[in-house]
């Protein structure tokens, strides 16, 4: 399947339209043409009015992970606010790249007026992107894999996830120590950036040794097995950083099963409710929350602006925060207005 996707991508790139060819390959963390989510109104004005019969499609990685269900809730909130319909669909699992591509292509053929997509890899939805571009259907890449030819991207600074966790270790372990990384899916921009941010920040400090950095493909079970092996090989390990919360919760199980909970800190990424609950119980040390419901709402605002003819920055940056037991209660508020105010003050 990977060979097929690479072949399709190569063909897609060779036949790319001028619309896409004018763009430099997107690197969402460093793209200079960017606007912070809090500045959309002040920079671009009011959101245009749209027709109630508007149909927007959301294409997700999977619905088995709470993060992506929450992102879809954000889309639904936005659609309800503006009085139109959004269809949110996902592949069967995070390895079903062809299934996800089929969903996107079907939505295009059905006449959806815009697509909000979260690709499984940086390349698997490129053929659908080209098809949408040829029909002048706006496509917004919403976290966390990044399509090189995407004209618009909504999401947080992926590298900063790892940076924030590394800074916690530097602050709480000034003497340094051995740490390990549980990576996400190889070939996904976000996973690589999160890992790089953690590694580079600790390496610059000079007091930490990264004894292992292994992929677990977003799987809790795979992460549990990898963490168990690493802990047996490095019994003095002071911490793990996992590229998402699902894997981090698997690491927590491994740490607890080997009676290392007091010694070994565990951090995840995403801010799902199970992560918050584990933090409050004193199990998971922390997570970097990227607030998927709010991200989905912002992405829908961006889509409405694009359909209304506004010309926006290529990247719209959304918020993130390091969550530990000290601030978990504040950031787990269900009051959307209060949360937005809290994040805007960061």
């Amino acid at each position: 399947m990977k060979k097929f996707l690479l072949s399709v991508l190569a063909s897609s790139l060779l036949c790319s339209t001028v619309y896409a060819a004018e763009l430099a390959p997107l690197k969402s963390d460093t793209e200079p043409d960017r606007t912070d989510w809090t500045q959309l109104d002040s920079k671009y004005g009011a959101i245009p009015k749209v027709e109630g019969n508007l149909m927007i499609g959301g294409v997700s990685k999977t619905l088995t992970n709470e993060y992506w269900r929450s992102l879809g809730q954000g889309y639904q909130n936005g659609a309800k606010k503006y009085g139109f319909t959004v269809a949110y669909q996902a592949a069967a699992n995070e390895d079903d790249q062809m299934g996800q591509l089929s969903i996107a292509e079907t939505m295009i053929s059905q006449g959806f007026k815009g697509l909000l997509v979260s690709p499984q890899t940086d390349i698997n939805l490129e053929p659908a992107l080209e098809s949408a571009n040829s029909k002048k259907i706006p496509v917004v890449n919403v976290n966390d894999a990044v399509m090189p030819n995407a004209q618009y991207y909504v999401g947080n600074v992926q590298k900063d996830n790892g940076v924030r966790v590394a800074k916690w270790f530097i602050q709480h372990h000034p003497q340094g120590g051995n740490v390990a990384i549980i990576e996400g899916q190889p070939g996904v921009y976000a996973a690589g950036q999160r890992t790089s941010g953690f590694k580079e920040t600790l390496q610059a400090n000079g007091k930490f040794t990264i004894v292992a950095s292994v992929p677990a493909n977003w799987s809790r079970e795979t992460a549990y097995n990898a963490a168990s092996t690493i802990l047996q090989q490095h019994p003095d390990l002071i911490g793990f950083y996992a590229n998402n919360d699902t894997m981090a919760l698997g690491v927590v199980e491994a740490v607890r099963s080997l009676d290392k909970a007091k010694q070994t800190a565990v951090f995840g990424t995403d801010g799902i409710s199970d992560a918050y609950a584990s933090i409050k119980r004193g199990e998971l040390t922390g997570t970097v929350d990227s607030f998927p419901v709010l991200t989905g709402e912002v992405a829908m605002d961006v889509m409405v602006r694009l359909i209304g003819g506004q010309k926006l920055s290529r990247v719209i940056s959304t918020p993130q925060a390091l969550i530990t037991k000290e601030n978990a209660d504040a950031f787990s508020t269900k009051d959307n207005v209060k949360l937005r105010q809290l994040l805007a003050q960061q």
Side-chain angles (χ1 to χ4, degrees), residues 306-317:
L306 292 174
I307 289 174
Q310 293 185 356
K311 298 189 181 301
L312 310 182
S313 295
R314 193 175 187 188
V315 170
I316 307 300
S317 300

Side-chain angles (χ1 to χ4, degrees), residues 199-255:
K199 282 183 176 180
E200 292 171 9
T201 305
L202 290 186
Q203 288 168 347
N205 175 264
K207 295 181 180 179
F208 294 84
T209 300
I210 298 171
V211 298
S213 185
V214 297
N217 299 306
W218 313 120
S219 164
R220 183 168 180 157
E221 181 181 359
T222 305
Y224 171 87
N225 292 334
S228 298
T229 299
I230 292 169
L231 282 167
Q232 290 164 6
Q233 294 172 342
H234 303 278
D236 61 343
L237 199 76
I238 64 168
F240 283 96
Y241 170 51
N243 283 176
N244 81 349
D245 286 336
T246 299
M247 297 188 299
L249 293 171
V251 174
V252 166
E253 292 175 10
V255 168

Side-chain angles (χ1 to χ4, degrees), residues 18-202:
V18 173
Y19 173 82
E22 291 175 348
L23 299 171
L26 177 61
K27 296 185 182 300
S28 63
D29 279 6
T30 56
E31 168 62 45
D33 182 17
R34 64 197 304 118
T35 296
D36 187 78
W37 69 283
T38 60
Q39 299 173 334
L40 283 169
D41 288 341
S42 61
K43 189 170 182 178
Y44 301 110
I47 294 178
K49 292 184 178 181
V50 294
E51 297 178 359
N53 61 356
L54 183 67
M55 287 183 19
I56 302 299
V59 183
S60 183
K61 294 174 73 170
T62 178
L63 296 183
T64 61
N65 185 322
E66 182 191 327
Y67 179 90
W68 302 109
R69 297 196 299 273
S70 298
L71 184 71
Q73 183 59 57
Y75 293 165
Q76 297 288 352
N77 292 350
K80 183 178 180 180
K81 176 181 177 181
Y82 301 119
F84 59 82
T85 300
V86 60
Y88 190 56
Q89 298 180 27
N93 55 62
E94 295 200 49
D95 293 323
D96 186 14
Q97 297 177 35
M98 292 300 296
Q100 191 188 40
L101 176 60
S102 177
I103 290 170
E105 290 178 330
T106 298
M107 286 183 171
I108 293 169
S109 69
Q110 290 176 338
F112 281 73
K113 300 303 182 183
L115 292 184
L116 299 162
V117 303
S118 299
Q120 292 196 349
T121 72
D122 296 350
I123 65 171
N124 76 295
L125 293 187
E126 285 281 359
L129 175 63
E130 183 190 347
S131 176
N133 287 347
S134 70
K135 297 181 180 181
K136 301 190 183 306
I137 298 171
V139 176
V140 179
N141 190 155
V142 187
N143 263 343
D144 51 18
V146 179
M147 296 183 292
N149 285 334
Q151 187 177 20
Y152 297 104
Y153 179 90
V154 174
N156 62 321
V157 178
Q158 300 296 341
K159 195 169 190 176
D160 195 42
N161 291 300
V163 171
R164 288 173 187 245
V165 176
K167 287 182 176 179
W168 184 93
F169 276 101
I170 291 170
Q171 178 183 354
H172 290 83
H173 294 275
Q175 76 284 0
N178 290 339
V179 296
I181 305 170
I182 304 298
E183 305 169 16
Q185 185 176 358
V188 172
Y189 180 83
Q193 289 294 95
R194 293 170 189 176
T195 297
S196 294
F198 185 74
K199 282 183 176 180
E200 292 171 9
T201 305
L202 290 186

